[in-house]
Amino acid sequence: MTSKPQFMETSIPVRLRDALTGYEWRQDAVGRSSAHVFHLEADGRVPVYLKTELADPLGELAGEVARLRWLTSQGLACPDIIAHEKDGKREWLLMSALPGSDLVRAKLLQPVERVRLLADALRRLHAIDIAACPFDHRLESRIGEARARLAAGRVDEDDFDETRLGRSGQDLFRELEEMRPLAEDLVVTHGDACLPNFMADGDRFSGYIDCGRLGIADRHQDIALACGSIEHNFGKDLVSAFLEAYGNFEQQAEKMVYYRLLDEFF
C-alpha cells in the first residue's frame, strides 16, 4: 500500500477528502487511460476506486458516469457511482469496487476459462437492442473524435502497436480515413474490450469496468481489441478459443486491422 499522492492533498474536493479519510491508497497502473486511478482500502470498510483527470473537453469521466448509469439500467453488472465531483480544474469519480479480479489477474481460472468468460460477457453486451443505447460510436463520430485528439496532441505515438511504431499520428490518420469500411455491423460495444476491463469473482463474470468508451459501433471494435489483448496476455492459441466461445461471427480480416488502427487514437 502507498499513501495518498502529494497532488491530492490540495486538489481533492472537501467532500471526497472527508469520505476517504483513513483509506490506504494504491495507484492502479493497468490500462492506458489519461485518468489517474486509485484503489482504496481500509479495515472494516468496503474497498472503492477513485478516478481523477484534469478538466478537458476530451476527458472521459463524465461520459463514463453516464455509461455506468445506463449499464445499471440495463441490468448489467458494473461499479456503482458513489460520487462525481468537478471543481473547474479536475474531475473526480468515486466508485464501488467489483468483487474478484480482472481477467488478467484472475489466477484461480485457467486462461482458457478467462477468454470464455470474456466471450460470454461480450455476447451479452452485444445482444442489447441498439435502439436502447444513447451513446453513438459509429465511425462518423469516432473518426471525428480521433481527429480532435490528434489536433490536441493527445495521441501518444510512442505507445503505438509494434507494427506502427515510428509512424506519425498524421500518417495513421490518413490511413484511418482511406481504409474506412463501407458498412458497419452495429451492436452495443464496450469500446475497450481488453482483458483488464472485465472482472471475475471465482469462476463467474462479475462485471464491466472502464466503460467510458461504451457505445454503438461495429462489433469488430470489441472483437479486434479482445483478440489483441488475448494474444498479448496468453498467446495466439487462445484467440481461436475466444472466437469459438463467442460464436456465430464471421471475422473480417480488414476490419480486425482497422479497429486496432482506430484504437491507436484513444
Side-chain angles (χ1 to χ4, degrees), residues 166-198:
R167 296 177 62 187
S168 70
Q170 290 288 353
D171 186 27
L172 261 61
F173 188 76
R174 284 192 293 270
E175 184 176 334
L176 191 70
E177 292 186 304
E178 292 168 0
M179 292 180 60
R180 178 176 173 172
L182 296 177
E184 295 173 81
D185 176 16
L186 297 175
V187 295
V188 177
T189 64
H190 179 280
D192 191 10
C194 299
L195 289 159
N197 293 335
F198 298 77

PDB file of all heavy atoms in Angstrom, residues 166-198:
ATOM      1  N   GLY A 166       7.127   4.287 -34.945  1.00  0.00           N
ATOM      2  CA  GLY A 166       7.948   5.046 -35.873  1.00  0.00           C
ATOM      3  C   GLY A 166       7.143   5.853 -36.876  1.00  0.00           C
ATOM      4  O   GLY A 166       7.696   6.730 -37.541  1.00  0.00           O
ATOM      5  N   ARG A 167       5.848   5.564 -36.970  1.00  0.00           N
ATOM      6  CA  ARG A 167       4.989   6.336 -37.863  1.00  0.00           C
ATOM      7  C   ARG A 167       4.362   7.499 -37.089  1.00  0.00           C
ATOM      8  O   ARG A 167       4.260   7.469 -35.867  1.00  0.00           O
ATOM      9  CB  ARG A 167       3.909   5.436 -38.464  1.00  0.00           C
ATOM     10  CG  ARG A 167       4.462   4.330 -39.343  1.00  0.00           C
ATOM     11  CD  ARG A 167       3.374   3.421 -39.850  1.00  0.00           C
ATOM     12  NE  ARG A 167       2.416   4.145 -40.686  1.00  0.00           N
ATOM     13  CZ  ARG A 167       1.287   3.597 -41.148  1.00  0.00           C
ATOM     14  NH1 ARG A 167       0.981   2.346 -40.859  1.00  0.00           N
ATOM     15  NH2 ARG A 167       0.476   4.312 -41.894  1.00  0.00           N
ATOM     16  N   SER A 168       3.938   8.504 -37.814  1.00  0.00           N
ATOM     17  CA  SER A 168       3.331   9.672 -37.171  1.00  0.00           C
ATOM     18  C   SER A 168       1.822   9.483 -37.034  1.00  0.00           C
ATOM     19  O   SER A 168       1.200   8.704 -37.770  1.00  0.00           O
ATOM     20  CB  SER A 168       3.608  10.932 -37.994  1.00  0.00           C
ATOM     21  OG  SER A 168       2.870  10.899 -39.209  1.00  0.00           O
ATOM     22  N   GLY A 169       1.249  10.250 -36.101  1.00  0.00           N
ATOM     23  CA  GLY A 169      -0.207  10.225 -35.956  1.00  0.00           C
ATOM     24  C   GLY A 169      -0.897  10.708 -37.212  1.00  0.00           C
ATOM     25  O   GLY A 169      -1.953  10.172 -37.591  1.00  0.00           O
ATOM     26  N   GLN A 170      -0.337  11.699 -37.877  1.00  0.00           N
ATOM     27  CA  GLN A 170      -0.924  12.203 -39.124  1.00  0.00           C
ATOM     28  C   GLN A 170      -0.950  11.121 -40.189  1.00  0.00           C
ATOM     29  O   GLN A 170      -1.928  10.973 -40.925  1.00  0.00           O
ATOM     30  CB  GLN A 170      -0.138  13.421 -39.619  1.00  0.00           C
ATOM     31  CG  GLN A 170      -0.302  14.676 -38.778  1.00  0.00           C
ATOM     32  CD  GLN A 170      -1.669  15.320 -38.942  1.00  0.00           C
ATOM     33  OE1 GLN A 170      -2.477  14.908 -39.786  1.00  0.00           O
ATOM     34  NE2 GLN A 170      -1.951  16.331 -38.137  1.00  0.00           N
ATOM     35  N   ASP A 171       0.123  10.357 -40.278  1.00  0.00           N
ATOM     36  CA  ASP A 171       0.205   9.262 -41.242  1.00  0.00           C
ATOM     37  C   ASP A 171      -0.864   8.217 -40.951  1.00  0.00           C
ATOM     38  O   ASP A 171      -1.580   7.756 -41.855  1.00  0.00           O
ATOM     39  CB  ASP A 171       1.602   8.651 -41.177  1.00  0.00           C
ATOM     40  CG  ASP A 171       1.830   7.588 -42.242  1.00  0.00           C
ATOM     41  OD1 ASP A 171       1.170   7.654 -43.307  1.00  0.00           O
ATOM     42  OD2 ASP A 171       2.668   6.697 -42.026  1.00  0.00           O
ATOM     43  N   LEU A 172      -1.011   7.863 -39.674  1.00  0.00           N
ATOM     44  CA  LEU A 172      -2.019   6.874 -39.307  1.00  0.00           C
ATOM     45  C   LEU A 172      -3.428   7.400 -39.552  1.00  0.00           C
ATOM     46  O   LEU A 172      -4.320   6.640 -39.934  1.00  0.00           O
ATOM     47  CB  LEU A 172      -1.852   6.469 -37.841  1.00  0.00           C
ATOM     48  CG  LEU A 172      -1.087   5.153 -37.600  1.00  0.00           C
ATOM     49  CD1 LEU A 172       0.325   5.244 -38.152  1.00  0.00           C
ATOM     50  CD2 LEU A 172      -1.071   4.813 -36.118  1.00  0.00           C
ATOM     51  N   PHE A 173      -3.631   8.703 -39.334  1.00  0.00           N
ATOM     52  CA  PHE A 173      -4.968   9.246 -39.547  1.00  0.00           C
ATOM     53  C   PHE A 173      -5.351   9.216 -41.031  1.00  0.00           C
ATOM     54  O   PHE A 173      -6.505   8.933 -41.368  1.00  0.00           O
ATOM     55  CB  PHE A 173      -5.084  10.666 -39.004  1.00  0.00           C
ATOM     56  CG  PHE A 173      -6.490  11.191 -39.038  1.00  0.00           C
ATOM     57  CD1 PHE A 173      -7.415  10.769 -38.098  1.00  0.00           C
ATOM     58  CD2 PHE A 173      -6.907  12.071 -40.022  1.00  0.00           C
ATOM     59  CE1 PHE A 173      -8.729  11.225 -38.137  1.00  0.00           C
ATOM     60  CE2 PHE A 173      -8.209  12.526 -40.063  1.00  0.00           C
ATOM     61  CZ  PHE A 173      -9.128  12.103 -39.114  1.00  0.00           C
ATOM     62  N   ARG A 174      -4.406   9.490 -41.908  1.00  0.00           N
ATOM     63  CA  ARG A 174      -4.698   9.368 -43.348  1.00  0.00           C
ATOM     64  C   ARG A 174      -5.102   7.942 -43.683  1.00  0.00           C
ATOM     65  O   ARG A 174      -6.060   7.716 -44.442  1.00  0.00           O
ATOM     66  CB  ARG A 174      -3.466   9.779 -44.163  1.00  0.00           C
ATOM     67  CG  ARG A 174      -3.236  11.281 -44.234  1.00  0.00           C
ATOM     68  CD  ARG A 174      -2.186  11.644 -45.269  1.00  0.00           C
ATOM     69  NE  ARG A 174      -0.860  11.173 -44.881  1.00  0.00           N
ATOM     70  CZ  ARG A 174      -0.002  11.895 -44.159  1.00  0.00           C
ATOM     71  NH1 ARG A 174      -0.340  13.101 -43.740  1.00  0.00           N
ATOM     72  NH2 ARG A 174       1.190  11.410 -43.860  1.00  0.00           N
ATOM     73  N   GLU A 175      -4.404   6.983 -43.100  1.00  0.00           N
ATOM     74  CA  GLU A 175      -4.751   5.581 -43.330  1.00  0.00           C
ATOM     75  C   GLU A 175      -6.131   5.262 -42.767  1.00  0.00           C
ATOM     76  O   GLU A 175      -6.908   4.513 -43.361  1.00  0.00           O
ATOM     77  CB  GLU A 175      -3.696   4.679 -42.692  1.00  0.00           C
ATOM     78  CG  GLU A 175      -3.903   3.200 -42.951  1.00  0.00           C
ATOM     79  CD  GLU A 175      -2.779   2.360 -42.366  1.00  0.00           C
ATOM     80  OE1 GLU A 175      -1.652   2.873 -42.203  1.00  0.00           O
ATOM     81  OE2 GLU A 175      -3.040   1.177 -42.066  1.00  0.00           O
ATOM     82  N   LEU A 176      -6.449   5.847 -41.618  1.00  0.00           N
ATOM     83  CA  LEU A 176      -7.753   5.624 -40.987  1.00  0.00           C
ATOM     84  C   LEU A 176      -8.879   6.072 -41.908  1.00  0.00           C
ATOM     85  O   LEU A 176      -9.910   5.396 -42.036  1.00  0.00           O
ATOM     86  CB  LEU A 176      -7.813   6.385 -39.661  1.00  0.00           C
ATOM     87  CG  LEU A 176      -8.981   6.089 -38.729  1.00  0.00           C
ATOM     88  CD1 LEU A 176      -8.857   4.706 -38.120  1.00  0.00           C
ATOM     89  CD2 LEU A 176      -9.055   7.141 -37.615  1.00  0.00           C
ATOM     90  N   GLU A 177      -8.708   7.214 -42.555  1.00  0.00           N
ATOM     91  CA  GLU A 177      -9.729   7.712 -43.472  1.00  0.00           C
ATOM     92  C   GLU A 177      -9.791   6.887 -44.750  1.00  0.00           C
ATOM     93  O   GLU A 177     -10.871   6.591 -45.251  1.00  0.00           O
ATOM     94  CB  GLU A 177      -9.455   9.178 -43.795  1.00  0.00           C
ATOM     95  CG  GLU A 177      -9.657  10.119 -42.614  1.00  0.00           C
ATOM     96  CD  GLU A 177      -9.522  11.571 -43.012  1.00  0.00           C
ATOM     97  OE1 GLU A 177      -8.466  11.939 -43.562  1.00  0.00           O
ATOM     98  OE2 GLU A 177     -10.493  12.341 -42.790  1.00  0.00           O
ATOM     99  N   GLU A 178      -8.634   6.516 -45.265  1.00  0.00           N
ATOM    100  CA  GLU A 178      -8.589   5.783 -46.539  1.00  0.00           C
ATOM    101  C   GLU A 178      -9.135   4.363 -46.411  1.00  0.00           C
ATOM    102  O   GLU A 178      -9.741   3.845 -47.351  1.00  0.00           O
ATOM    103  CB  GLU A 178      -7.145   5.737 -47.056  1.00  0.00           C
ATOM    104  CG  GLU A 178      -6.606   7.100 -47.485  1.00  0.00           C
ATOM    105  CD  GLU A 178      -5.104   7.084 -47.710  1.00  0.00           C
ATOM    106  OE1 GLU A 178      -4.482   5.998 -47.524  1.00  0.00           O
ATOM    107  OE2 GLU A 178      -4.545   8.147 -48.062  1.00  0.00           O
ATOM    108  N   MET A 179      -8.936   3.726 -45.255  1.00  0.00           N
ATOM    109  CA  MET A 179      -9.316   2.318 -45.068  1.00  0.00           C
ATOM    110  C   MET A 179     -10.700   2.156 -44.450  1.00  0.00           C
ATOM    111  O   MET A 179     -11.115   1.033 -44.162  1.00  0.00           O
ATOM    112  CB  MET A 179      -8.291   1.614 -44.183  1.00  0.00           C
ATOM    113  CG  MET A 179      -6.931   1.436 -44.809  1.00  0.00           C
ATOM    114  SD  MET A 179      -5.794   0.584 -43.675  1.00  0.00           S
ATOM    115  CE  MET A 179      -6.673  -0.975 -43.416  1.00  0.00           C
ATOM    116  N   ARG A 180     -11.425   3.233 -44.255  1.00  0.00           N
ATOM    117  CA  ARG A 180     -12.723   3.162 -43.573  1.00  0.00           C
ATOM    118  C   ARG A 180     -13.645   2.131 -44.230  1.00  0.00           C
ATOM    119  O   ARG A 180     -13.899   2.195 -45.439  1.00  0.00           O
ATOM    120  CB  ARG A 180     -13.390   4.538 -43.585  1.00  0.00           C
ATOM    121  CG  ARG A 180     -14.759   4.556 -42.958  1.00  0.00           C
ATOM    122  CD  ARG A 180     -15.314   5.959 -42.905  1.00  0.00           C
ATOM    123  NE  ARG A 180     -16.686   5.963 -42.446  1.00  0.00           N
ATOM    124  CZ  ARG A 180     -17.387   7.055 -42.148  1.00  0.00           C
ATOM    125  NH1 ARG A 180     -16.803   8.242 -42.269  1.00  0.00           N
ATOM    126  NH2 ARG A 180     -18.635   6.975 -41.734  1.00  0.00           N
ATOM    127  N   PRO A 181     -14.164   1.179 -43.465  1.00  0.00           N
ATOM    128  CA  PRO A 181     -15.087   0.189 -44.026  1.00  0.00           C
ATOM    129  C   PRO A 181     -16.368   0.830 -44.556  1.00  0.00           C
ATOM    130  O   PRO A 181     -16.822   1.860 -44.035  1.00  0.00           O
ATOM    131  CB  PRO A 181     -15.395  -0.720 -42.830  1.00  0.00           C
ATOM    132  CG  PRO A 181     -14.255  -0.507 -41.881  1.00  0.00           C
ATOM    133  CD  PRO A 181     -13.846   0.926 -42.055  1.00  0.00           C
ATOM    134  N   LEU A 182     -16.947   0.213 -45.551  1.00  0.00           N
ATOM    135  CA  LEU A 182     -18.149   0.761 -46.169  1.00  0.00           C
ATOM    136  C   LEU A 182     -19.399   0.487 -45.340  1.00  0.00           C
ATOM    137  O   LEU A 182     -20.371   1.236 -45.428  1.00  0.00           O
ATOM    138  CB  LEU A 182     -18.320   0.172 -47.572  1.00  0.00           C
ATOM    139  CG  LEU A 182     -17.219   0.536 -48.583  1.00  0.00           C
ATOM    140  CD1 LEU A 182     -17.468  -0.172 -49.914  1.00  0.00           C
ATOM    141  CD2 LEU A 182     -17.146   2.047 -48.774  1.00  0.00           C
ATOM    142  N   ALA A 183     -19.388  -0.590 -44.572  1.00  0.00           N
ATOM    143  CA  ALA A 183     -20.576  -0.967 -43.796  1.00  0.00           C
ATOM    144  C   ALA A 183     -20.162  -1.304 -42.366  1.00  0.00           C
ATOM    145  O   ALA A 183     -19.026  -1.726 -42.116  1.00  0.00           O
ATOM    146  CB  ALA A 183     -21.275  -2.158 -44.442  1.00  0.00           C
ATOM    147  N   GLU A 184     -21.098  -1.116 -41.429  1.00  0.00           N
ATOM    148  CA  GLU A 184     -20.840  -1.416 -40.027  1.00  0.00           C
ATOM    149  C   GLU A 184     -21.880  -2.401 -39.503  1.00  0.00           C
ATOM    150  O   GLU A 184     -23.079  -2.236 -39.739  1.00  0.00           O
ATOM    151  CB  GLU A 184     -20.880  -0.130 -39.198  1.00  0.00           C
ATOM    152  CG  GLU A 184     -19.770   0.862 -39.544  1.00  0.00           C
ATOM    153  CD  GLU A 184     -19.931   2.195 -38.825  1.00  0.00           C
ATOM    154  OE1 GLU A 184     -19.542   2.274 -37.643  1.00  0.00           O
ATOM    155  OE2 GLU A 184     -20.467   3.140 -39.444  1.00  0.00           O
ATOM    156  N   ASP A 185     -21.414  -3.415 -38.807  1.00  0.00           N
ATOM    157  CA  ASP A 185     -22.263  -4.409 -38.149  1.00  0.00           C
ATOM    158  C   ASP A 185     -22.505  -3.914 -36.729  1.00  0.00           C
ATOM    159  O   ASP A 185     -21.751  -4.217 -35.809  1.00  0.00           O
ATOM    160  CB  ASP A 185     -21.554  -5.770 -38.162  1.00  0.00           C
ATOM    161  CG  ASP A 185     -22.318  -6.842 -37.410  1.00  0.00           C
ATOM    162  OD1 ASP A 185     -23.526  -6.646 -37.139  1.00  0.00           O
ATOM    163  OD2 ASP A 185     -21.701  -7.875 -37.073  1.00  0.00           O
ATOM    164  N   LEU A 186     -23.564  -3.130 -36.536  1.00  0.00           N
ATOM    165  CA  LEU A 186     -23.722  -2.345 -35.316  1.00  0.00           C
ATOM    166  C   LEU A 186     -24.283  -3.145 -34.146  1.00  0.00           C
ATOM    167  O   LEU A 186     -25.297  -3.842 -34.270  1.00  0.00           O
ATOM    168  CB  LEU A 186     -24.612  -1.140 -35.591  1.00  0.00           C
ATOM    169  CG  LEU A 186     -24.056  -0.130 -36.609  1.00  0.00           C
ATOM    170  CD1 LEU A 186     -25.085   0.951 -36.889  1.00  0.00           C
ATOM    171  CD2 LEU A 186     -22.747   0.481 -36.119  1.00  0.00           C
ATOM    172  N   VAL A 187     -23.593  -3.013 -33.007  1.00  0.00           N
ATOM    173  CA  VAL A 187     -24.039  -3.573 -31.731  1.00  0.00           C
ATOM    174  C   VAL A 187     -23.657  -2.569 -30.644  1.00  0.00           C
ATOM    175  O   VAL A 187     -22.986  -1.575 -30.905  1.00  0.00           O
ATOM    176  CB  VAL A 187     -23.378  -4.942 -31.440  1.00  0.00           C
ATOM    177  CG1 VAL A 187     -23.809  -5.987 -32.459  1.00  0.00           C
ATOM    178  CG2 VAL A 187     -21.857  -4.822 -31.387  1.00  0.00           C
ATOM    179  N   VAL A 188     -24.075  -2.841 -29.420  1.00  0.00           N
ATOM    180  CA  VAL A 188     -23.596  -2.062 -28.282  1.00  0.00           C
ATOM    181  C   VAL A 188     -22.238  -2.632 -27.882  1.00  0.00           C
ATOM    182  O   VAL A 188     -22.150  -3.786 -27.452  1.00  0.00           O
ATOM    183  CB  VAL A 188     -24.572  -2.109 -27.101  1.00  0.00           C
ATOM    184  CG1 VAL A 188     -23.988  -1.349 -25.907  1.00  0.00           C
ATOM    185  CG2 VAL A 188     -25.920  -1.529 -27.489  1.00  0.00           C
ATOM    186  N   THR A 189     -21.189  -1.840 -28.041  1.00  0.00           N
ATOM    187  CA  THR A 189     -19.836  -2.309 -27.745  1.00  0.00           C
ATOM    188  C   THR A 189     -19.315  -1.718 -26.439  1.00  0.00           C
ATOM    189  O   THR A 189     -19.710  -0.627 -26.030  1.00  0.00           O
ATOM    190  CB  THR A 189     -18.853  -1.919 -28.869  1.00  0.00           C
ATOM    191  OG1 THR A 189     -18.751  -0.491 -28.931  1.00  0.00           O
ATOM    192  CG2 THR A 189     -19.309  -2.456 -30.214  1.00  0.00           C
ATOM    193  N   HIS A 190     -18.396  -2.430 -25.823  1.00  0.00           N
ATOM    194  CA  HIS A 190     -17.699  -1.903 -24.648  1.00  0.00           C
ATOM    195  C   HIS A 190     -16.764  -0.777 -25.063  1.00  0.00           C
ATOM    196  O   HIS A 190     -16.612   0.216 -24.364  1.00  0.00           O
ATOM    197  CB  HIS A 190     -16.917  -3.021 -23.953  1.00  0.00           C
ATOM    198  CG  HIS A 190     -16.154  -2.571 -22.748  1.00  0.00           C
ATOM    199  ND1 HIS A 190     -14.922  -1.929 -22.817  1.00  0.00           N
ATOM    200  CD2 HIS A 190     -16.447  -2.653 -21.413  1.00  0.00           C
ATOM    201  CE1 HIS A 190     -14.502  -1.643 -21.611  1.00  0.00           C
ATOM    202  NE2 HIS A 190     -15.400  -2.068 -20.730  1.00  0.00           N
ATOM    203  N   GLY A 191     -16.120  -0.932 -26.207  1.00  0.00           N
ATOM    204  CA  GLY A 191     -15.251   0.102 -26.740  1.00  0.00           C
ATOM    205  C   GLY A 191     -13.784  -0.067 -26.404  1.00  0.00           C
ATOM    206  O   GLY A 191     -12.909   0.420 -27.120  1.00  0.00           O
ATOM    207  N   ASP A 192     -13.498  -0.749 -25.296  1.00  0.00           N
ATOM    208  CA  ASP A 192     -12.113  -1.034 -24.897  1.00  0.00           C
ATOM    209  C   ASP A 192     -12.084  -2.446 -24.325  1.00  0.00           C
ATOM    210  O   ASP A 192     -11.763  -2.656 -23.147  1.00  0.00           O
ATOM    211  CB  ASP A 192     -11.632  -0.009 -23.871  1.00  0.00           C
ATOM    212  CG  ASP A 192     -10.128  -0.088 -23.626  1.00  0.00           C
ATOM    213  OD1 ASP A 192      -9.439  -0.801 -24.392  1.00  0.00           O
ATOM    214  OD2 ASP A 192      -9.645   0.552 -22.683  1.00  0.00           O
ATOM    215  N   ALA A 193     -12.414  -3.414 -25.168  1.00  0.00           N
ATOM    216  CA  ALA A 193     -12.694  -4.781 -24.721  1.00  0.00           C
ATOM    217  C   ALA A 193     -11.425  -5.598 -24.507  1.00  0.00           C
ATOM    218  O   ALA A 193     -11.233  -6.662 -25.095  1.00  0.00           O
ATOM    219  CB  ALA A 193     -13.614  -5.478 -25.725  1.00  0.00           C
ATOM    220  N   CYS A 194     -10.556  -5.087 -23.640  1.00  0.00           N
ATOM    221  CA  CYS A 194      -9.337  -5.794 -23.271  1.00  0.00           C
ATOM    222  C   CYS A 194      -9.561  -6.531 -21.949  1.00  0.00           C
ATOM    223  O   CYS A 194     -10.410  -6.144 -21.137  1.00  0.00           O
ATOM    224  CB  CYS A 194      -8.179  -4.813 -23.148  1.00  0.00           C
ATOM    225  SG  CYS A 194      -7.824  -3.935 -24.690  1.00  0.00           S
ATOM    226  N   LEU A 195      -8.801  -7.569 -21.721  1.00  0.00           N
ATOM    227  CA  LEU A 195      -8.999  -8.426 -20.546  1.00  0.00           C
ATOM    228  C   LEU A 195      -9.042  -7.675 -19.216  1.00  0.00           C
ATOM    229  O   LEU A 195      -9.853  -8.016 -18.350  1.00  0.00           O
ATOM    230  CB  LEU A 195      -7.901  -9.490 -20.507  1.00  0.00           C
ATOM    231  CG  LEU A 195      -8.011 -10.586 -21.578  1.00  0.00           C
ATOM    232  CD1 LEU A 195      -6.659 -11.262 -21.788  1.00  0.00           C
ATOM    233  CD2 LEU A 195      -9.064 -11.618 -21.193  1.00  0.00           C
ATOM    234  N   PRO A 196      -8.220  -6.625 -18.997  1.00  0.00           N
ATOM    235  CA  PRO A 196      -8.283  -5.952 -17.691  1.00  0.00           C
ATOM    236  C   PRO A 196      -9.585  -5.225 -17.414  1.00  0.00           C
ATOM    237  O   PRO A 196      -9.814  -4.802 -16.270  1.00  0.00           O
ATOM    238  CB  PRO A 196      -7.113  -4.944 -17.774  1.00  0.00           C
ATOM    239  CG  PRO A 196      -6.202  -5.477 -18.813  1.00  0.00           C
ATOM    240  CD  PRO A 196      -7.106  -6.133 -19.820  1.00  0.00           C
ATOM    241  N   ASN A 197     -10.455  -5.073 -18.412  1.00  0.00           N
ATOM    242  CA  ASN A 197     -11.692  -4.316 -18.227  1.00  0.00           C
ATOM    243  C   ASN A 197     -12.918  -5.197 -17.972  1.00  0.00           C
ATOM    244  O   ASN A 197     -14.055  -4.720 -18.028  1.00  0.00           O
ATOM    245  CB  ASN A 197     -11.937  -3.422 -19.441  1.00  0.00           C
ATOM    246  CG  ASN A 197     -10.889  -2.333 -19.546  1.00  0.00           C
ATOM    247  OD1 ASN A 197     -10.293  -1.944 -18.557  1.00  0.00           O
ATOM    248  ND2 ASN A 197     -10.658  -1.856 -20.755  1.00  0.00           N
ATOM    249  N   PHE A 198     -12.660  -6.473 -17.650  1.00  0.00           N
ATOM    250  CA  PHE A 198     -13.724  -7.427 -17.356  1.00  0.00           C
ATOM    251  C   PHE A 198     -13.331  -8.188 -16.101  1.00  0.00           C
ATOM    252  O   PHE A 198     -12.190  -8.616 -15.959  1.00  0.00           O
ATOM    253  CB  PHE A 198     -13.928  -8.384 -18.539  1.00  0.00           C
ATOM    254  CG  PHE A 198     -14.365  -7.674 -19.792  1.00  0.00           C
ATOM    255  CD1 PHE A 198     -13.449  -6.969 -20.562  1.00  0.00           C
ATOM    256  CD2 PHE A 198     -15.692  -7.686 -20.187  1.00  0.00           C
ATOM    257  CE1 PHE A 198     -13.842  -6.282 -21.706  1.00  0.00           C
ATOM    258  CE2 PHE A 198     -16.098  -7.006 -21.334  1.00  0.00           C
ATOM    259  CZ  PHE A 198     -15.170  -6.307 -22.083  1.00  0.00           C
TER     260      PHE A 198
END
